[in-house]
Amino acid sequence: MKLSHKLYPFQNSDPTRKSLGDIIILHGLFGSSKNWVTVARFLSNFGSVYTVDQRNHGDSPHSEEHSIRLMSEDLEEFIFDHKIQNPVLLGHSMGGLVAMYFDLTHPGILKKLIIQDIAPRSYPFAYDKEIQSMSFALDGFTSRTEIDSEMAKYVTDSFIRQFLQMSLDRNEDGTYRWKLNVDGLNHARRVFDDVFTFEKTSETPTLFLLGGESEYIRDSDFGVMDHFFKNNHKIKIAGGGHYIHFTHQTEYLEILNQELSFHS
């Protein structure tokens, strides 16, 4: 599948600083490349940055099929089409699962792997409320405020609603639509099941960048990380949850700065 993306070319005011190569960012479930503008602009100090819309998200095509394996194949096609060599791959949540699966099944391709707040294991599809908040008919709604009020009946957290609404698009006639393939994602409830059942391991330098209070990471995950990724280290952002690239952005970007400066 040909994926939509945005490119942030390498630009650094220091003429002595060379690009460390290409960087690819993979968003999480219900996200898109739009969630990563600030991070991508920051990372363009180190290399050219591609923010990708994965299948059924953003401006990329919709499909009835949605799995980590297929998204990994989409990424392989993207890297081949854009002639990208040894990229740094940053993946958040679902995008982190895709990034880890890709690395384990494509040894030697990546320069570095950065995984945000997810572990190489199965996860439940615990997003019924989010799906419901995007499943009512949008006919008759004339503003985002009206839609937000209806969504609040299902999702009380305004941060999550605002995150979801980044995929809410207004048509030329004033009506609204979801860019997300909401129905397709609703029918892909096993997307996070039994992904890492093989005995492959990776030597790719890997950073697990974790929220210190994230519900997505449990103590037993550290051993699983070490099992699959032999050359990894872990950094926790104290007080952080699942969206540390937004909620703890200053600290998050400083960690990336230190991590990539070491490789540049």
PDB file of all heavy atoms in Angstrom, residues 208-212 217 219 222 234-238 251 255:
ATOM      1  N   PHE A 208      14.010   2.347  24.548  1.00  0.00           N
ATOM      2  CA  PHE A 208      12.621   2.318  24.993  1.00  0.00           C
ATOM      3  C   PHE A 208      12.393   3.574  25.832  1.00  0.00           C
ATOM      4  O   PHE A 208      12.954   3.710  26.917  1.00  0.00           O
ATOM      5  CB  PHE A 208      12.332   1.060  25.807  1.00  0.00           C
ATOM      6  CG  PHE A 208      12.248  -0.196  24.982  1.00  0.00           C
ATOM      7  CD1 PHE A 208      13.341  -1.051  24.865  1.00  0.00           C
ATOM      8  CD2 PHE A 208      11.078  -0.519  24.307  1.00  0.00           C
ATOM      9  CE1 PHE A 208      13.269  -2.200  24.103  1.00  0.00           C
ATOM     10  CE2 PHE A 208      11.001  -1.667  23.540  1.00  0.00           C
ATOM     11  CZ  PHE A 208      12.092  -2.514  23.430  1.00  0.00           C
ATOM     12  N   LEU A 209      11.597   4.485  25.312  1.00  0.00           N
ATOM     13  CA  LEU A 209      11.316   5.751  25.976  1.00  0.00           C
ATOM     14  C   LEU A 209       9.916   5.666  26.568  1.00  0.00           C
ATOM     15  O   LEU A 209       8.918   5.620  25.837  1.00  0.00           O
ATOM     16  CB  LEU A 209      11.434   6.898  24.971  1.00  0.00           C
ATOM     17  CG  LEU A 209      11.312   8.333  25.466  1.00  0.00           C
ATOM     18  CD1 LEU A 209      12.138   8.577  26.712  1.00  0.00           C
ATOM     19  CD2 LEU A 209      11.724   9.293  24.362  1.00  0.00           C
ATOM     20  N   LEU A 210       9.832   5.601  27.893  1.00  0.00           N
ATOM     21  CA  LEU A 210       8.616   5.170  28.569  1.00  0.00           C
ATOM     22  C   LEU A 210       8.051   6.245  29.493  1.00  0.00           C
ATOM     23  O   LEU A 210       8.794   7.030  30.082  1.00  0.00           O
ATOM     24  CB  LEU A 210       8.908   3.915  29.399  1.00  0.00           C
ATOM     25  CG  LEU A 210       9.671   2.799  28.682  1.00  0.00           C
ATOM     26  CD1 LEU A 210      10.075   1.716  29.668  1.00  0.00           C
ATOM     27  CD2 LEU A 210       8.837   2.222  27.553  1.00  0.00           C
ATOM     28  N   GLY A 211       6.730   6.246  29.630  1.00  0.00           N
ATOM     29  CA  GLY A 211       6.080   7.085  30.623  1.00  0.00           C
ATOM     30  C   GLY A 211       6.154   6.421  31.985  1.00  0.00           C
ATOM     31  O   GLY A 211       5.801   5.244  32.134  1.00  0.00           O
ATOM     32  N   GLY A 212       6.628   7.144  32.976  1.00  0.00           N
ATOM     33  CA  GLY A 212       6.837   6.564  34.303  1.00  0.00           C
ATOM     34  C   GLY A 212       5.566   6.064  34.957  1.00  0.00           C
ATOM     35  O   GLY A 212       5.616   5.185  35.823  1.00  0.00           O
ATOM     36  N   ILE A 217       2.792  -0.098  30.268  1.00  0.00           N
ATOM     37  CA  ILE A 217       4.033  -0.790  30.610  1.00  0.00           C
ATOM     38  C   ILE A 217       3.907  -1.390  32.011  1.00  0.00           C
ATOM     39  O   ILE A 217       3.563  -0.696  32.964  1.00  0.00           O
ATOM     40  CB  ILE A 217       5.239   0.183  30.564  1.00  0.00           C
ATOM     41  CG1 ILE A 217       5.373   0.805  29.158  1.00  0.00           C
ATOM     42  CG2 ILE A 217       6.521  -0.541  30.956  1.00  0.00           C
ATOM     43  CD1 ILE A 217       5.637  -0.184  28.044  1.00  0.00           C
ATOM     44  N   ASP A 219       5.892  -4.247  34.916  1.00  0.00           N
ATOM     45  CA  ASP A 219       7.249  -4.654  35.299  1.00  0.00           C
ATOM     46  C   ASP A 219       7.758  -5.833  34.482  1.00  0.00           C
ATOM     47  O   ASP A 219       8.946  -5.899  34.132  1.00  0.00           O
ATOM     48  CB  ASP A 219       7.284  -5.008  36.792  1.00  0.00           C
ATOM     49  CG  ASP A 219       7.147  -3.770  37.685  1.00  0.00           C
ATOM     50  OD1 ASP A 219       7.329  -2.639  37.163  1.00  0.00           O
ATOM     51  OD2 ASP A 219       6.844  -3.934  38.884  1.00  0.00           O
ATOM     52  N   PHE A 222       9.913  -5.513  30.969  1.00  0.00           N
ATOM     53  CA  PHE A 222      11.342  -5.230  30.799  1.00  0.00           C
ATOM     54  C   PHE A 222      12.113  -6.472  30.369  1.00  0.00           C
ATOM     55  O   PHE A 222      13.018  -6.401  29.536  1.00  0.00           O
ATOM     56  CB  PHE A 222      11.918  -4.638  32.087  1.00  0.00           C
ATOM     57  CG  PHE A 222      11.254  -3.353  32.487  1.00  0.00           C
ATOM     58  CD1 PHE A 222      10.712  -3.187  33.743  1.00  0.00           C
ATOM     59  CD2 PHE A 222      11.149  -2.300  31.589  1.00  0.00           C
ATOM     60  CE1 PHE A 222      10.084  -2.004  34.110  1.00  0.00           C
ATOM     61  CE2 PHE A 222      10.528  -1.111  31.933  1.00  0.00           C
ATOM     62  CZ  PHE A 222       9.991  -0.965  33.201  1.00  0.00           C
ATOM     63  N   LYS A 234      16.705   1.747  28.459  1.00  0.00           N
ATOM     64  CA  LYS A 234      15.372   2.243  28.765  1.00  0.00           C
ATOM     65  C   LYS A 234      15.473   3.552  29.546  1.00  0.00           C
ATOM     66  O   LYS A 234      16.283   3.669  30.448  1.00  0.00           O
ATOM     67  CB  LYS A 234      14.591   1.205  29.581  1.00  0.00           C
ATOM     68  CG  LYS A 234      14.598  -0.186  28.947  1.00  0.00           C
ATOM     69  CD  LYS A 234      14.073  -1.245  29.897  1.00  0.00           C
ATOM     70  CE  LYS A 234      14.279  -2.642  29.345  1.00  0.00           C
ATOM     71  NZ  LYS A 234      15.713  -3.054  29.379  1.00  0.00           N
ATOM     72  N   ILE A 235      14.616   4.498  29.190  1.00  0.00           N
ATOM     73  CA  ILE A 235      14.533   5.763  29.915  1.00  0.00           C
ATOM     74  C   ILE A 235      13.069   6.008  30.250  1.00  0.00           C
ATOM     75  O   ILE A 235      12.200   5.944  29.375  1.00  0.00           O
ATOM     76  CB  ILE A 235      15.091   6.938  29.085  1.00  0.00           C
ATOM     77  CG1 ILE A 235      16.566   6.719  28.760  1.00  0.00           C
ATOM     78  CG2 ILE A 235      14.902   8.258  29.841  1.00  0.00           C
ATOM     79  CD1 ILE A 235      17.168   7.795  27.875  1.00  0.00           C
ATOM     80  N   LYS A 236      12.810   6.284  31.529  1.00  0.00           N
ATOM     81  CA  LYS A 236      11.460   6.632  31.970  1.00  0.00           C
ATOM     82  C   LYS A 236      11.377   8.137  32.206  1.00  0.00           C
ATOM     83  O   LYS A 236      12.290   8.734  32.779  1.00  0.00           O
ATOM     84  CB  LYS A 236      11.117   5.909  33.278  1.00  0.00           C
ATOM     85  CG  LYS A 236      10.712   4.462  33.134  1.00  0.00           C
ATOM     86  CD  LYS A 236      10.246   3.938  34.491  1.00  0.00           C
ATOM     87  CE  LYS A 236       9.807   2.487  34.395  1.00  0.00           C
ATOM     88  NZ  LYS A 236       9.307   2.003  35.722  1.00  0.00           N
ATOM     89  N   ILE A 237      10.276   8.717  31.771  1.00  0.00           N
ATOM     90  CA  ILE A 237       9.996  10.115  32.088  1.00  0.00           C
ATOM     91  C   ILE A 237       9.038  10.127  33.272  1.00  0.00           C
ATOM     92  O   ILE A 237       7.886   9.678  33.170  1.00  0.00           O
ATOM     93  CB  ILE A 237       9.398  10.858  30.882  1.00  0.00           C
ATOM     94  CG1 ILE A 237      10.454  10.962  29.768  1.00  0.00           C
ATOM     95  CG2 ILE A 237       8.900  12.235  31.289  1.00  0.00           C
ATOM     96  CD1 ILE A 237       9.997  11.723  28.539  1.00  0.00           C
ATOM     97  N   ALA A 238       9.516  10.612  34.401  1.00  0.00           N
ATOM     98  CA  ALA A 238       8.743  10.580  35.644  1.00  0.00           C
ATOM     99  C   ALA A 238       7.417  11.321  35.475  1.00  0.00           C
ATOM    100  O   ALA A 238       7.378  12.424  34.924  1.00  0.00           O
ATOM    101  CB  ALA A 238       9.545  11.202  36.779  1.00  0.00           C
ATOM    102  N   GLU A 251      11.159  17.615  28.083  1.00  0.00           N
ATOM    103  CA  GLU A 251      12.028  16.528  28.529  1.00  0.00           C
ATOM    104  C   GLU A 251      12.186  15.472  27.444  1.00  0.00           C
ATOM    105  O   GLU A 251      13.279  14.933  27.228  1.00  0.00           O
ATOM    106  CB  GLU A 251      11.446  15.904  29.799  1.00  0.00           C
ATOM    107  CG  GLU A 251      12.378  14.909  30.473  1.00  0.00           C
ATOM    108  CD  GLU A 251      11.851  14.439  31.818  1.00  0.00           C
ATOM    109  OE1 GLU A 251      10.818  14.969  32.293  1.00  0.00           O
ATOM    110  OE2 GLU A 251      12.466  13.531  32.387  1.00  0.00           O
ATOM    111  N   ILE A 255      15.762  14.298  25.616  1.00  0.00           N
ATOM    112  CA  ILE A 255      16.243  12.914  25.567  1.00  0.00           C
ATOM    113  C   ILE A 255      16.592  12.535  24.128  1.00  0.00           C
ATOM    114  O   ILE A 255      17.645  11.940  23.868  1.00  0.00           O
ATOM    115  CB  ILE A 255      15.189  11.955  26.147  1.00  0.00           C
ATOM    116  CG1 ILE A 255      15.059  12.171  27.654  1.00  0.00           C
ATOM    117  CG2 ILE A 255      15.551  10.496  25.851  1.00  0.00           C
ATOM    118  CD1 ILE A 255      13.871  11.480  28.278  1.00  0.00           C
TER     119      ILE A 255
END
